[in-house]
Every structure is written in structure tokens, then in C-alpha cells.
Amino acid sequence: MKTSLLRRSVLVLSLAALSLGGLSLQAQAQPATKKELVIGGTAGSNADQLKFGIVPLLEKKGYKVKLVEFNDYVQPNLALAQGSLDANFFQHLVYLKKFAADQKLDIVELVQGPIAPMGVYSNTRKTLAEAKEGDRVTLPNDPSNLARALLLLEQNKLITLKPGIDPIRASEKDVAENPRKLKFLPLEAAQLPRTLGDAEYAIINGNFAISSGLKLTGAVALEKPADHYLNVVAVKRADKDTPWAKDIAEAFQSKEFKAVVDSKFPGYAKPAFLQ
């Protein structure tokens, strides 16, 4: 009898130990809330918006944030997809969707943000109306921004694009009329500011114009970006609903960020929630 009771006691204690051990293992298996973030942005206005407007807000929420600056439009998305970044902020939605499809990357937009408008700059011409026959025009070579640059020239009546084409996919082949016989020289976007000494006009993305010391007010023409040309924060699809991603989105939509944009980034195109 005593032996039987002893065996039962040992069994109960063993089960209890296993149960406690199981709870302990379950507790250990639950991941801690992510509080360290790595965010990428292109040098200039995009990185500065993160630095002055977003990082301080995330730090107030207890995050430790590392910013990584890039000088091209390819590496930030590759780094995001490979896990070196948690998020990036440098591109508009059209570029993001095309790049993700072309490279087969499962990255998506999280929230919109401001963008420095693309502008036409010149050291030798004060207006686009002064364009002469054969003038050289440098412009971005990535498809979505090339289309954007051509549309800007069309809006200023320097060229006419073929009727019925998709304006966000236009290329030099889609130019129907070019009365001044402008010569288009597509180049890597980051290199465009350096071409001002050689070309009569350079069509430069706003962030690279600013990072090179140019002012938006110094452009001979500025675009008025459509909503699909506003910058977006990109994340991996699997991360879109995480608490930290929601905190990033909340920071971009906050009145504190709006105040930073209004004071430090005048002239930027903004989503409706920052107007």
C-alpha cells in the first residue's frame, strides 16, 4: 500500500515537473517584441526626413533605430528583401511595384510619405522656353522615372507623347513629336546633378537634387506629382502587420512628422493626411 502511494506521488511530481517544464519552454519560445530597427533611405531629403522626422518618434516609443544611406535605387530593395533592412523609404509606388515584379521580391508599400518633386535644372537656360534645337537633356534611366521625366517635358510643351500610351511606362520610343530635336541621355539617377556642366538641361529627382546642393526653387520647372509618385515606405509582405511596422506607419501619419515636413521640407509634395 505504502509502495503504491509512493509510486503515485512520484508520478504526480513527474507530471507536474513536465507540465512546468512545458510552460517554461513555451514561454521561452515566445519572441520578444522587436525594438531594434534598420531603415534605409537614399542620401539627401529621403534620409533627412527619416533622421529628423521619423527616428525621434520611434525612439520615443522605445525603438533603437539605425539608418542606412544608399546612392542608388537598386540596393535598398535588395537589402530589404534579403533582410538587411526592416524597411526603406526612397521610392514611389510605381517604381516599387515594377521593381518587385521584375526581381520577384515579396515587398510591399506600408504608408505614403512626402517627396521632393522632380525638377528640370540648367546652368545655361533660365526657362524651358529657351530650349534650342539639339539641346541635350539628361534624365533618369530607370523606366518609371524616365516616364515621369518625359511626362514633365510634355506638360511643358517641349515634346508630345504618342496618344494612348501608358504615361507611367513611356520611353523615348513613345515620343511622337520633338520639334526642337532634343537629345535624350538617360543616366543613373544619382549621377544626374553632375551632368549640369555638360548638358543644357538635367531632369533630376528631388532627393538627389537637394543632396547635391541644388534648391527646388532653382529649378526651371517642377513637377506636380500624382499620388502614385509620392514616396512610400516599403517592407516585406510578411512584416506589414507587425507592431513595429504599424508604429512606423503611425509616425509618418502623425502631426509631429507633419510639423517637421512643414518646417524643414517646404515645397514637398505630400499625401492628403499631411496636408
Side-chain angles (χ1 to χ4, degrees):
M1 187 73 165
K2 290 182 179 179
T3 302
S4 177
L5 287 171
L6 182 59
R7 286 176 179 171
R8 281 185 202 169
S9 298
V10 171
L11 179 60
V12 169
L13 288 171
S14 297
L15 289 172
L18 285 172
S19 177
L20 288 171
L23 288 172
S24 177
L25 288 172
Q26 288 177 0
Q28 290 176 0
Q30 294 175 357
T33 302
K34 184 179 180 70
K35 283 297 181 179
E36 293 188 5
L37 300 174
V38 183
I39 304 176
T42 42
S45 64
N46 294 329
D48 286 345
Q49 286 181 67
L50 293 169
K51 179 180 178 181
F52 296 115
I54 299 302
V55 171
L57 296 177
L58 292 174
E59 288 178 341
K60 284 183 181 179
K61 291 189 174 185
Y63 290 96
K64 180 180 179 181
V65 185
K66 178 183 177 182
L67 291 183
V68 180
E69 291 191 15
F70 295 86
N71 288 307
D72 67 74
Y73 288 160
V74 174
Q75 295 306 314
N77 279 338
L78 296 181
L80 175 60
Q82 292 163 2
S84 300
L85 300 177
D86 295 303
N88 67 39
F89 178 66
F90 77 98
Q91 65 199 317
H92 51 67
L93 186 58
V94 178
Y95 181 85
L96 169 61
K97 287 186 173 181
K98 182 170 182 10
F99 191 95
D102 290 348
Q103 300 293 324
K104 297 179 173 56
L105 305 179
D106 201 16
I107 56 177
V108 297
E109 75 278 10
L110 176 66
V111 63
Q112 286 183 319
I115 189 170
M118 178 178 278
V120 185
Y121 296 83
S122 178
N123 286 345
T124 58
R125 307 281 191 268
K126 294 183 179 180
T127 67
L128 283 174
E130 294 178 14
K132 299 178 181 178
E133 185 170 326
D135 274 356
R136 295 159 295 177
V137 181
T138 57
L139 63 178
N141 63 2
D142 61 280
S144 61
N145 283 308
L146 172 59
R148 188 176 159 197
L150 292 172
L151 190 62
L152 178 54
L153 290 176
E154 183 180 51
Q155 290 169 348
N156 284 276
K157 305 185 186 311
L158 282 181
I159 63 171
T160 302
L161 296 174
K162 295 176 182 176
I165 66 159
D166 185 341
I168 66 175
R169 291 180 173 82
S171 72
E172 306 102 298
K173 297 177 182 179
D174 297 310
V175 176
E177 296 179 19
N178 181 10
R180 289 183 173 86
K181 297 181 175 58
L182 301 176
K183 297 178 180 178
F184 301 119
L185 305 170
L187 297 168
E188 183 74 26
Q191 305 303 319
L192 292 168
R194 300 178 186 177
T195 67
L196 278 171
D198 300 313
E200 283 70 40
Y201 294 101
I203 306 180
I204 307 173
N205 293 73
N207 63 301
F208 287 129
I210 291 169
S211 66
S212 68
L214 296 171
K215 295 182 178 180
L216 297 180
T217 53
V220 298
L222 282 176
E223 69 172 342
K224 295 179 180 179
D227 280 352
H228 53 252
Y229 284 136
L230 292 173
N231 270 346
V232 295
V233 175
V235 295
K236 287 188 284 190
R237 188 183 303 275
D239 291 333
K240 188 169 184 178
D241 294 320
T242 59
W244 59 263
K246 291 179 179 178
D247 283 338
I248 291 176
E250 186 176 291
F252 271 86
Q253 295 167 335
S254 68
K255 61 181 182 180
E256 291 86 357
F257 181 56
K258 180 183 184 304
V260 170
V261 174
D262 290 345
S263 63
K264 290 185 176 293
F265 305 96
Y268 282 49
K270 297 176 289 186
F273 56 78
L274 290 178
Q275 297 294 342

